[in-house]
Amino acid sequence: MSDHYFSANPDSKAELRSIEVSLKGHSFCFYTSTGVFSKQGLDYGSRLLMESVLLPLQGAVLDLGCGYGPVGIACATMAPQCFITMVDINERAVELAKQNAERNGVAKRVQVMQSDGCSAVEGQQFAAILTNPPIRTGKEVIYNLFRQARDHLTPEGILWIVIRKQQGAVSAIAELERLGLEVQVETRKKGYWILSAKKY
C-alpha cells in the first residue's frame, strides 16, 4: 500500500518538525512528521471545526482520526472538565499525539490509542465526537465512520464533522440523515461546511 496519512504504519522516513498554532486565544506547540495529515501546520478545516464546535461542559469527548493531536488537545484545553479520547489508525500519528499531549500539558486528561475507526473504544459513549474525516479513503470508509460515531454517541451527544462542499458535504448530510441523525450546517466558510448531527 502506498504511504498515506491513513496508513496504519507509514513507510516514509520520519522527519520530525515543530510547529506553533494559535487557536481561540490559546497557543499550542506540536510535533509533526512526514506520513501524518497536514504536517506543515494546522489545516483550515480543523481550525474552522474548533472555532465552530460547542463542547460540552463535562463528559467524554472523542477525537476520531486525531492525527498528531491538534483537535483533541485543543478540546482538552478549552473544556477542562471533559476527558478526551483521541484515536487514529496511523501509528506514527498516535505517538506524536501522545508527545503533543505531554508537551501542551493535558496528558492527564487525554488518552491516545491506535484504532481502526472506533474499534478501540467499543462499549464507550461520548457527549461529543469530532472528526475531520479522511476523504481520500472514499465514501464507503467515511460513511462507515459516520455509522460507528452514531453508535458511540450518548443519547444527547453530538457528532461534529468538517467537510468541503465539493468533496461531498451534501451527500454526507443525506447519509447522516439516513442513519437517523438530525443534521445542522453550523458554519459555511471558504467551501468548508461544519456539520452537527445528533440523534432524534
Coordinates of all heavy atoms in Angstrom, one line a residue, residues 25-83:
G25 N -7.4 32.1 21.2 CA -6.8 32.7 22.3 C -5.8 31.8 23.0 O -5.2 32.2 24.0
H26 N -5.6 30.6 22.5 CA -4.7 29.6 23.2 C -3.5 29.4 22.2 O -3.7 29.3 21.0 CB -5.3 28.3 23.5 CG -6.5 28.5 24.4 ND1 -6.3 28.5 25.8 CD2 -7.8 28.6 24.2 CE1 -7.5 28.6 26.4 NE2 -8.4 28.7 25.5
S27 N -2.3 29.2 22.8 CA -1.1 28.9 22.0 C -0.7 27.5 22.2 O -0.7 27.0 23.4 CB 0.0 29.8 22.4 OG -0.3 31.2 22.1
F28 N -0.4 26.8 21.1 CA 0.0 25.4 21.2 C 1.3 25.1 20.4 O 1.6 25.8 19.4 CB -1.1 24.5 20.6 CG -2.5 24.6 21.2 CD1 -3.4 25.5 20.7 CD2 -2.8 23.9 22.3 CE1 -4.6 25.7 21.3 CE2 -4.1 24.0 22.9 CZ -5.0 24.9 22.4
C29 N 2.0 24.2 20.9 CA 3.2 23.7 20.1 C 3.1 22.2 19.8 O 2.8 21.4 20.8 CB 4.5 23.9 21.0 SG 4.9 25.7 21.3
F30 N 3.2 21.8 18.6 CA 3.0 20.5 18.2 C 4.2 19.9 17.4 O 4.8 20.6 16.6 CB 1.8 20.4 17.3 CG 0.5 20.8 17.9 CD1 -0.2 21.8 17.3 CD2 0.0 20.1 19.0 CE1 -1.5 22.2 17.9 CE2 -1.3 20.5 19.5 CZ -2.0 21.5 19.0
Y31 N 4.5 18.7 17.7 CA 5.4 17.9 16.8 C 4.6 17.3 15.7 O 3.6 16.8 15.9 CB 6.1 16.8 17.6 CG 7.1 17.3 18.6 CD1 6.9 16.9 20.0 CD2 8.2 18.0 18.3 CE1 7.8 17.3 21.0 CE2 9.1 18.4 19.3 CZ 8.9 18.1 20.6 OH 9.7 18.5 21.6
T32 N 5.1 17.5 14.4 CA 4.5 16.8 13.3 C 5.6 16.0 12.6 O 6.8 16.1 13.0 CB 3.9 17.8 12.3 OG1 4.9 18.5 11.6 CG2 3.0 18.8 13.1
S33 N 5.3 15.3 11.6 CA 6.3 14.5 10.8 C 5.7 14.1 9.5 O 4.5 14.3 9.2 CB 6.6 13.2 11.6 OG 7.5 12.4 10.9
T34 N 6.6 13.6 8.6 CA 6.1 13.0 7.4 C 5.2 11.8 7.7 O 5.3 11.2 8.8 CB 7.3 12.5 6.6 OG1 8.2 11.7 7.5 CG2 8.1 13.6 6.0
G35 N 4.3 11.5 6.8 CA 3.4 10.4 7.0 C 2.2 10.6 7.8 O 1.5 9.7 8.2
V36 N 2.0 11.9 8.2 CA 0.8 12.3 9.0 C 0.1 13.4 8.3 O 0.7 14.1 7.5 CB 1.1 12.7 10.5 CG1 1.8 11.5 11.2 CG2 1.9 13.9 10.5
F37 N -1.2 13.6 8.6 CA -2.0 14.6 7.9 C -1.6 16.0 8.3 O -1.4 16.3 9.5 CB -3.5 14.3 8.3 CG -4.4 15.4 7.7 CD1 -4.6 15.5 6.4 CD2 -5.1 16.2 8.6 CE1 -5.5 16.4 5.8 CE2 -6.0 17.2 8.1 CZ -6.2 17.3 6.7
S38 N -1.5 16.9 7.3 CA -1.3 18.3 7.5 C 0.0 18.6 8.3 O -0.1 19.3 9.3 CB -2.5 18.9 8.1 OG -2.5 20.3 8.1
K39 N 1.1 18.0 7.9 CA 2.3 18.1 8.7 C 2.9 19.5 8.7 O 3.7 19.8 9.6 CB 3.3 17.1 8.2 CG 3.9 17.4 6.8 CD 4.9 16.4 6.4 CE 5.5 16.7 5.0 NZ 4.5 16.5 3.9
Q40 N 2.5 20.3 7.8 CA 3.1 21.7 7.7 C 2.5 22.7 8.7 O 3.1 23.7 9.1 CB 2.9 22.3 6.3 CG 3.5 21.4 5.2 CD 5.0 21.4 5.2 OE1 5.7 22.3 5.8 NE2 5.6 20.4 4.6
G41 N 1.3 22.4 9.2 CA 0.6 23.3 10.1 C -0.9 22.9 10.2 O -1.3 22.0 9.4
L42 N -1.6 23.5 11.1 CA -3.0 23.2 11.3 C -3.8 23.5 10.0 O -3.7 24.6 9.5 CB -3.5 24.0 12.5 CG -5.0 23.7 12.8 CD1 -5.2 22.3 13.3 CD2 -5.5 24.7 13.9
D43 N -4.5 22.5 9.5 CA -5.2 22.7 8.3 C -6.5 23.5 8.6 O -7.0 23.6 9.7 CB -5.7 21.3 7.7 CG -6.6 20.6 8.6 OD1 -6.2 20.1 9.7 OD2 -7.8 20.5 8.3
Y44 N -6.9 24.2 7.5 CA -8.1 25.1 7.6 C -9.3 24.5 8.2 O -10.0 25.0 9.0 CB -8.3 25.8 6.3 CG -9.4 26.9 6.4 CD1 -9.1 28.1 7.0 CD2 -10.7 26.6 6.1 CE1 -10.1 29.1 7.1 CE2 -11.7 27.6 6.2 CZ -11.4 28.8 6.7 OH -12.4 29.8 6.9
G45 N -9.6 23.2 7.7 CA -10.8 22.6 8.1 C -10.8 22.3 9.6 O -11.8 22.5 10.3
S46 N -9.7 21.8 10.1 CA -9.6 21.5 11.6 C -9.8 22.8 12.4 O -10.4 22.9 13.4 CB -8.3 20.8 11.9 OG -8.3 19.5 11.4
R47 N -9.1 23.9 11.9 CA -9.2 25.2 12.6 C -10.7 25.7 12.6 O -11.2 26.1 13.7 CB -8.4 26.2 11.9 CG -8.5 27.6 12.5 CD -7.6 28.6 11.8 NE -6.1 28.3 12.0 CZ -5.5 28.7 13.1 NH1 -6.1 29.4 14.1 NH2 -4.2 28.4 13.3
L48 N -11.4 25.6 11.5 CA -12.8 26.0 11.4 C -13.7 25.1 12.3 O -14.6 25.6 13.0 CB -13.3 26.0 10.0 CG -14.6 26.6 9.7 CD1 -14.6 28.1 10.0 CD2 -15.1 26.4 8.3
L49 N -13.4 23.8 12.4 CA -14.1 22.9 13.3 C -14.0 23.4 14.7 O -15.0 23.5 15.4 CB -13.6 21.5 13.1 CG -14.1 20.4 14.0 CD1 -15.6 20.3 13.7 CD2 -13.4 19.1 13.8
M50 N -12.8 23.7 15.1 CA -12.5 24.1 16.5 C -13.1 25.5 16.8 O -13.5 25.8 17.9 CB -11.1 24.1 16.9 CG -10.5 22.7 17.0 SD -11.5 21.6 18.1 CE -11.5 22.5 19.6
E51 N -13.2 26.3 15.8 CA -13.8 27.7 16.0 C -15.3 27.6 16.1 O -15.9 28.5 16.6 CB -13.3 28.6 14.9 CG -11.9 29.0 15.0 CD -11.4 29.8 13.8 OE1 -12.2 29.9 12.8 OE2 -10.3 30.3 13.8
S52 N -15.9 26.5 15.6 CA -17.3 26.4 15.5 C -18.0 25.5 16.5 O -19.1 25.6 16.9 CB -17.7 25.8 14.1 OG -17.2 26.6 13.0
V53 N -17.2 24.5 17.0 CA -17.8 23.5 17.9 C -18.2 24.1 19.2 O -17.6 25.0 19.8 CB -16.8 22.3 18.1 CG1 -15.5 22.8 18.9 CG2 -17.4 21.1 18.8
L54 N -19.3 23.5 19.7 CA -19.8 23.8 21.1 C -19.5 22.6 21.9 O -20.2 21.6 21.9 CB -21.3 24.2 21.1 CG -21.7 25.4 20.3 CD1 -23.2 25.6 20.3 CD2 -21.0 26.6 20.8
L55 N -18.5 22.6 22.7 CA -18.1 21.5 23.5 C -18.9 21.4 24.8 O -19.4 22.4 25.3 CB -16.6 21.6 24.0 CG -15.6 21.5 22.8 CD1 -14.2 21.9 23.3 CD2 -15.5 20.1 22.3
P56 N -19.2 20.2 25.3 CA -19.9 20.0 26.5 C -19.2 20.6 27.7 O -17.9 20.7 27.7 CB -20.1 18.5 26.6 CG -19.0 17.9 25.8 CD -18.7 18.9 24.7
L57 N -19.9 20.9 28.7 CA -19.2 21.4 29.9 C -18.5 20.3 30.6 O -17.5 20.6 31.3 CB -20.3 22.1 30.9 CG -21.0 23.3 30.3 CD1 -22.0 23.8 31.3 CD2 -20.0 24.4 30.0
Q58 N -19.0 19.1 30.5 CA -18.3 18.0 31.1 C -18.6 16.7 30.3 O -19.6 16.7 29.5 CB -18.6 17.8 32.6 CG -20.1 17.6 32.8 CD -20.4 17.6 34.3 OE1 -19.6 17.8 35.2 NE2 -21.7 17.3 34.6
G59 N -17.9 15.6 30.6 CA -18.2 14.4 29.9 C -17.1 13.9 29.1 O -16.0 14.5 29.1
A60 N -17.3 12.9 28.3 CA -16.3 12.3 27.4 C -16.4 12.8 26.0 O -17.5 12.9 25.5 CB -16.4 10.8 27.5
V61 N -15.3 13.1 25.4 CA -15.2 13.6 24.0 C -14.3 12.7 23.3 O -13.2 12.3 23.7 CB -14.7 15.1 24.0 CG1 -14.5 15.6 22.6 CG2 -15.6 16.0 24.8
L62 N -14.6 12.4 22.0 CA -13.8 11.6 21.1 C -13.3 12.4 19.9 O -14.1 13.0 19.2 CB -14.6 10.4 20.6 CG -13.9 9.5 19.6 CD1 -12.7 8.8 20.3 CD2 -14.9 8.4 19.1
D63 N -12.0 12.4 19.7 CA -11.4 13.0 18.5 C -11.1 11.8 17.6 O -10.2 11.0 17.8 CB -10.1 13.7 18.9 CG -9.4 14.3 17.7 OD1 -9.9 14.1 16.6 OD2 -8.3 14.9 17.9
L64 N -12.0 11.6 16.6 CA -12.0 10.4 15.7 C -11.1 10.7 14.5 O -11.5 11.5 13.6 CB -13.4 10.1 15.3 CG -13.6 8.9 14.4 CD1 -13.0 7.6 14.9 CD2 -15.1 8.7 14.1
G65 N -9.9 10.1 14.5 CA -8.9 10.4 13.4 C -8.1 11.6 13.8 O -8.1 12.7 13.2
C66 N -7.4 11.5 15.0 CA -6.8 12.6 15.6 C -5.5 13.2 15.0 O -5.1 14.3 15.3 CB -6.5 12.3 17.1 SG -5.2 11.0 17.3
G67 N -4.9 12.4 14.1 CA -3.6 12.8 13.5 C -2.6 13.0 14.7 O -2.6 12.3 15.6
Y68 N -1.8 14.1 14.6 CA -0.9 14.4 15.6 C -1.5 15.1 16.8 O -0.8 15.5 17.7 CB 0.3 15.2 15.1 CG 0.0 16.5 14.4 CD1 -0.2 17.6 15.1 CD2 -0.1 16.5 13.0 CE1 -0.5 18.8 14.5 CE2 -0.4 17.7 12.3 CZ -0.6 18.9 13.1 OH -0.9 20.1 12.4
G69 N -2.8 15.3 16.8 CA -3.5 15.7 18.0 C -4.0 17.1 18.2 O -4.5 17.4 19.3
P70 N -4.0 18.0 17.2 CA -4.4 19.3 17.5 C -5.8 19.5 17.9 O -6.1 20.3 18.9 CB -4.1 20.1 16.1 CG -4.1 19.0 15.1 CD -3.6 17.8 15.8
V71 N -6.7 18.8 17.4 CA -8.1 19.0 17.7 C -8.4 18.5 19.2 O -9.0 19.2 20.0 CB -9.1 18.3 16.7 CG1 -10.5 18.2 17.3 CG2 -9.1 19.0 15.4
G72 N -8.0 17.3 19.5 CA -8.2 16.7 20.8 C -7.5 17.5 21.9 O -8.0 17.7 23.0
I73 N -6.3 17.9 21.6 CA -5.5 18.7 22.6 C -6.2 20.1 22.8 O -6.3 20.6 23.9 CB -4.1 18.8 22.2 CG1 -3.4 17.4 22.3 CG2 -3.3 19.9 23.0 CD1 -2.1 17.3 21.6
A74 N -6.7 20.7 21.7 CA -7.4 21.9 21.9 C -8.7 21.7 22.7 O -9.0 22.6 23.5 CB -7.7 22.5 20.5
C75 N -9.4 20.6 22.5 CA -10.6 20.3 23.3 C -10.2 20.2 24.7 O -10.9 20.7 25.6 CB -11.2 19.0 22.8 SG -12.1 19.1 21.2
A76 N -9.1 19.5 25.0 CA -8.7 19.3 26.4 C -8.4 20.7 27.1 O -8.7 20.9 28.3 CB -7.5 18.4 26.5
T77 N -7.9 21.6 26.3 CA -7.5 22.9 26.8 C -8.7 23.8 27.0 O -8.9 24.5 28.0 CB -6.5 23.6 25.9 OG1 -5.4 22.8 25.7 CG2 -6.1 25.0 26.4
M78 N -9.7 23.7 26.1 CA -10.8 24.6 26.1 C -12.0 24.0 27.0 O -12.9 24.8 27.4 CB -11.3 24.8 24.7 CG -10.3 25.5 23.8 SD -10.9 25.5 22.1 CE -9.4 26.2 21.3
A79 N -12.0 22.7 27.2 CA -13.0 22.1 28.1 C -12.4 21.3 29.2 O -12.3 20.1 29.1 CB -13.9 21.3 27.2
P80 N -11.8 22.0 30.2 CA -11.0 21.3 31.2 C -11.8 20.3 32.0 O -11.1 19.5 32.7 CB -10.5 22.5 32.0 CG -11.4 23.6 31.8 CD -11.8 23.5 30.4
Q81 N -13.1 20.3 32.0 CA -13.9 19.4 32.8 C -14.2 18.1 32.0 O -14.8 17.2 32.5 CB -15.2 20.0 33.3 CG -15.0 21.2 34.2 CD -14.1 20.9 35.4 OE1 -14.3 20.0 36.1 NE2 -13.1 21.8 35.6
C82 N -13.8 18.1 30.7 CA -14.0 16.9 29.9 C -12.8 16.0 29.8 O -11.7 16.5 30.0 CB -14.3 17.4 28.5 SG -15.9 18.2 28.3
F83 N -13.0 14.7 29.6 CA -11.9 13.8 29.3 C -11.9 13.5 27.8 O -13.0 13.1 27.3 CB -12.1 12.5 30.1 CG -10.9 11.6 30.0 CD1 -9.8 11.8 30.8 CD2 -10.9 10.5 29.1 CE1 -8.7 11.0 30.7 CE2 -9.8 9.7 29.0 CZ -8.7 9.9 29.8

